[in-house]
Amino acid sequence: GYMPSLACFTESSPGRKEYRFILANPSHIADSEDEALAQAASDFSEARRVDDAMGSAEELSRQLSARGYVSVKNFKVILDDA
């Protein structure tokens, strides 16, 4: 199965991403990568909508946590250029 996941990164120089942290939702296991991606996009969009409405910088984090997202420790990003 696949877990919905979100990556936060900074662009240190054009085209060079440095990942700061990864969030994953182990409470929702999807049957396909596309389903997991769609779920993560939907969760992020809804959390942003609530965050924007509340006007609180911490609300996005609370919203994602409430949806089951947790921080992934010692993560490795594998880029698929195929």
Side-chain angles (χ1 to χ4, degrees):
Y2 299 85
M3 276 189 257
S5 58
L6 301 163
C8 178
F9 60 87
T10 56
E11 194 168 13
S12 56
S13 61
R16 181 166 156 66
K17 295 176 185 173
E18 292 184 18
Y19 289 85
R20 295 180 52 211
F21 60 87
I22 303 288
L23 300 175
N25 186 345
S27 67
H28 180 94
I29 304 299
D31 292 329
S32 72
E33 189 174 349
D34 289 341
E35 181 185 340
L37 177 60
Q39 184 66 49
S42 173
D43 290 341
F44 184 73
S45 178
E46 181 61 18
R48 282 291 311 260
R49 185 190 68 74
V50 173
D51 177 59
D52 289 347
M54 299 288 289
S56 165
E58 292 138 2
E59 191 59 33
L60 180 66
S61 175
R62 280 195 288 270
Q63 288 294 315
L64 290 172
S65 180
R67 286 173 170 73
Y69 285 84
V70 295
S71 181
V72 176
K73 303 291 182 206
N74 301 317
F75 64 88
K76 243 186 192 178
V77 175
I78 299 172
L79 301 176
D80 182 11
D81 295 332

